[in-house]
Amino acid sequence: MISKVKNAMSNLVGGMMPHGHHHHHNHHAGGAQTCGPDGLPPRFPYGRPEFLELTPELLQYSTEHASRPVLTLKRGSRLPWRTGYAEVINAGKSMLNEDQACCEKLFVKKPSGKHRNSTLLDNNTRRSPPISVDASQKRDGTGIPLHFWGVFDGHAGSGAAIMASKLLHHLIKDRLGEICHLLENPSSAPPICLAKNGNPFQVESKKGASQEPEDPDAVCDSSVRFYMEKVVSLESLIMGVIETAFKQMDDLIEKEKASYAISGGCCALAAIHLMGKLYVANAGDSRAIIIRNKEVIPMTNEFTPESERQRLQYLGFLRPELLGNEFTHIEFPRRIQHSELGKKMLYRDHTMTGWAYKTIIEDDLKFPLIYGEGKKARVMATIGVTRGLGDHDLKVYNSNIYIKPFLSCVPEVKVYNLEENKHGPDDVLVMGTDGLWDVTTDRDVAEAVSTYLSCCDPSDPMRYTLAAQDLLMRSRGVLKERGWRLANDRLGSGDDITVFVIPLVGHETDT
């Protein structure tokens, strides 16, 4: 059996075979249902993305930390837009690969029957509506096409990442279905108010209705009244739908934790193609770049304790009870010693981008809300990312202080109009978890992908998967006596790595 698995994996990972095969972790990688610490069943069993089509044996083999085999699409498999994909497990920091990925083509439709008005989350309650996961809708091919790619970088377990990879795209599709009648008329600005049935609401005066006395100060000129209303574009409405779907996903994880074991949290990066535009939504420290004519167009910003320092400090300032009398929202260049009370030291708070001096008082001796630099920066000495999904139970070590209030599930959404630019076969969107970017710059990625694709046959259906594999192997490096090393002998990435390489010409042939 082992030889069969090795032969199959040699095709799957491009001939990169390890020297040994040891199952030293009892973590049921084959997908067996295991209960969480509270005896609750998992919401979804552990697995790798369905499009990899792994057998249980290959799934188990993919967890080898010593060899770190690279998983790619099988030759003959096809994702929308001829998307390329590759992934690799970490070097031992967690037993399983906590990254997850999703790539789907869906169709946006108006909700029908009992599902009408059921998909919108009531923001004033914690009510989560049913999610439409209808396989027949994919088959009939009717509706507005929607392409979705997502990478989910889990931490403290893979439960939240797996759940988000299974459900987030359906939440986005269902929410878009509620405004489908607006998507079908893109030339018209969205109405400011919708009736309860979801149709545009227009004020109509009923016959015989009593008229309010006319306000002498009211604006009577209809053109002036029009310009007093804010015009909202369809693009910004779609952005809001995506942002709200992320919040709905986070609420759903919290709700279902009462019935299921859903471990940890995850950073979430999603790309949605709808009606000629790419909407890239990022909550966390994963990254996406567009490579066009060998130039880099960043599509994300990373959300870390350093990049969101002022937001976090402001929350700590407004609600000091969240700090548990253990932390201070003020930042200092280093920890303060008790002997330094009364002295003046550099500091900055939520109102400042620069530094100034303040006299040290007793309250300043508390541990800073944000501490450390770069990849070592942490919120409450615990977590190194500030946006994502899940983490509802995360607490400061050995305390009852919850960290979730400081973590945002709302993504930043950037838009790229595919129809306004001409693209060649080597122009791509690269999406990757932080395991890729920790050791590779945007420029390095662009050069590597452009160089690799320029040597590939444009008609080869595997060219983008091979480019993803090449990119991933550059960041993982080669195993040597001193660990995984890059070509320049620097330390390679020891993290889980997940990469999509998405050709931008794909929308012209696969819409």
Side-chain angles (χ1 to χ4, degrees):
M1 175 59 75
I2 295 301
S3 62
K4 290 182 180 179
V5 172
K6 284 189 175 183
N7 289 335
M9 283 299 290
S10 66
N11 294 326
L12 192 66
V13 303
M16 294 183 50
M17 292 305 301
H19 298 294
H21 181 63
H22 308 286
H23 296 303
H24 54 279
H25 295 309
N26 182 25
H27 46 57
H28 303 280
Q33 296 269 353
T34 57
C35 291
D38 297 326
L40 299 174
R43 179 63 175 86
F44 293 98
Y46 175 80
R48 302 315 307 146
E50 293 180 6
F51 55 73
L52 289 178
E53 301 174 339
L54 299 187
T55 64
E57 292 82 12
L58 294 178
L59 176 60
Q60 180 69 48
Y61 192 71
S62 73
T63 64
E64 287 292 328
H65 295 90
S67 56
R68 301 181 73 192
V70 178
L71 304 186
T72 66
L73 292 173
K74 294 179 181 177
R75 186 167 287 276
S77 297
R78 190 174 186 274
L79 291 177
W81 291 23
R82 297 169 66 190
T83 293
Y85 178 82
E87 69 170 50
V88 71
I89 196 170
N90 61 80
K93 79 170 192 178
S94 62
M95 288 195 299
L96 298 174
N97 186 338
E98 294 181 337
D99 283 1
Q100 289 293 328
C102 174
C103 179
E104 291 276 359
K105 181 178 181 179
L106 306 167
F107 294 91
V108 178
K109 291 183 176 181
K110 297 176 184 176
S112 59
K114 62 182 180 180
H115 293 297
R116 183 176 295 277
N117 295 324
S118 68
T119 56
L120 289 179
L121 180 70
D122 184 348
N123 291 319
N124 296 320
T125 71
R126 307 302 287 182
R127 176 172 55 85
S128 295
I131 299 169
S132 170
V133 185
D134 188 355
S136 65
Q137 193 188 58
K138 293 183 185 180
R139 291 193 296 268
D140 67 27
T142 59
I144 301 173
L146 179 150
H147 292 84
F148 177 92
W149 299 264
V151 293
F152 305 90
D153 184 355
H155 48 257
S158 57
I162 294 173
M163 184 172 174
S165 72
K166 301 287 188 183
L167 300 180
L168 178 60
H169 50 298
H170 292 290
L171 293 174
I172 294 173
K173 181 206 69 174
D174 287 353
R175 279 195 165 274
L176 289 170
E178 291 290 333
I179 60 166
C180 191
H181 57 290
L182 303 179
L183 300 177
E184 291 170 345
N185 297 281
S187 60
S188 301
I192 291 177
C193 188
L194 296 178
K196 290 184 178 179
N197 62 2
N199 292 322
F201 174 73
Q202 294 180 342
V203 179
E204 296 181 358
S205 58
K206 297 180 180 179
K207 289 184 179 180
S210 59
Q211 299 293 324
E212 292 290 330
E214 192 167 312
D215 183 351
D217 297 324
V219 179
C220 298
D221 187 335
S222 61
S223 63
V224 175
R225 291 169 63 89
F226 173 80
Y227 285 110
M228 290 178 65
E229 296 178 351
K230 182 172 287 187
V231 177
V232 177
S233 68
L234 185 61
E235 177 183 291
S236 62
L237 180 61
I238 294 171
M239 293 170 66
V241 165
I242 295 168
E243 291 166 338
T244 310
F246 268 66
K247 291 190 285 185
Q248 185 177 352
M249 185 72 247
D250 194 58
D251 286 341
L252 195 59
I253 291 172
E254 181 180 22
K255 177 187 176 184
E256 299 215 354
K257 283 177 71 71
S259 305
Y260 298 98
I262 305 171
S263 58
C266 68
C267 298
L269 170 63
I272 298 99
H273 175 256
L274 183 70
M275 300 168 59
K277 294 181 180 180
L278 273 175
Y279 296 82
V280 180
N282 183 46
D285 62 356
S286 296
R287 194 183 305 175
I289 62 171
I290 283 176
I291 304 169
R292 189 181 70 202
N293 296 326
K294 300 182 180 180
E295 294 300 317
V296 174
I297 303 174
M299 292 301 294
T300 55
N301 292 304
E302 296 178 17
F303 295 100
T304 66
E306 288 188 315
S307 68
E308 292 214 277
R309 172 186 63 83
Q310 287 175 282
R311 177 183 72 81
L312 300 172
Q313 287 182 318
Y314 186 48
L315 179 58
F317 168 76
L318 288 178
R319 298 188 57 191
E321 70 275 10
L322 296 177
L323 301 174
N325 204 36
E326 296 288 338
F327 296 88
T328 174
H329 72 280
I330 298 175
E331 181 184 12
F332 298 94
R334 61 165 171 78
R335 290 298 311 277
I336 299 172
Q337 306 299 314
H338 196 276
S339 59
E340 294 172 322
L341 282 171
K343 294 182 179 180
K344 288 192 173 183
M345 182 174 284
L346 287 168
Y347 84 104
R348 61 179 176 179
D349 63 16
H350 62 281
T351 66
M352 304 165 64
T353 53
W355 296 80
Y357 285 97
K358 77 178 293 290
T359 301
I360 301 301
I361 60 175
E362 191 80 28
D363 208 49
D364 296 329
L365 298 177
K366 296 175 182 176
F367 201 88
L369 171 62
I370 300 166
Y371 188 71
E373 287 186 296
K375 295 295 290 185
K376 294 182 179 180
R378 294 290 183 270
V379 178
M380 293 180 159
T382 304
I383 189 169
V385 292
T386 53
R387 297 202 191 189
L389 305 171
D391 289 315
H392 298 92
D393 296 332
L394 184 62
K395 296 180 182 180
V396 175
Y397 178 72
N398 202 27
S399 81
N400 201 36
I401 303 173
Y402 284 92
I403 299 176
K404 181 64 175 177
F406 292 93
L407 309 180
S408 172
C409 62
V410 181
E412 178 185 49
V413 183
K414 293 189 177 183
V415 185
Y416 180 82
N417 193 329
L418 287 165
E419 296 178 349
E420 288 183 351
N421 300 279
K422 291 184 178 180
H423 302 98
D426 295 351
D427 296 334
V428 296
L429 170 69
V430 176
M431 301 171 63
T433 52
D434 68 326
L436 172 70
W437 310 101
D438 283 348
V439 297
T440 315
T441 66
D442 293 0
R443 185 74 258 165
D444 292 338
V445 167
E447 290 178 359
V449 170
S450 298
T451 300
Y452 193 91
L453 290 177
S454 67
C455 300
C456 287
D457 180 358
S459 63
D460 184 356
M462 290 293 289
R463 72 193 305 261
Y464 301 106
T465 283
L466 294 174
Q469 175 181 272
D470 176 72
L471 192 57
L472 186 148
M473 290 166 61
R474 287 171 179 264
S475 295
R476 183 202 63 173
V478 177
L479 184 59
K480 298 183 178 180
E481 289 184 3
R482 295 181 297 120
W484 293 91
R485 295 283 165 175
L486 306 180
N488 58 11
D489 207 40
R490 286 174 46 234
L491 197 62
S493 175
D495 201 356
D496 301 313
I497 310 175
T498 299
V499 180
F500 275 121
V501 176
I502 306 163
L504 299 181
V505 293
H507 79 287
E508 299 174 2
T509 57
D510 188 4
T511 55

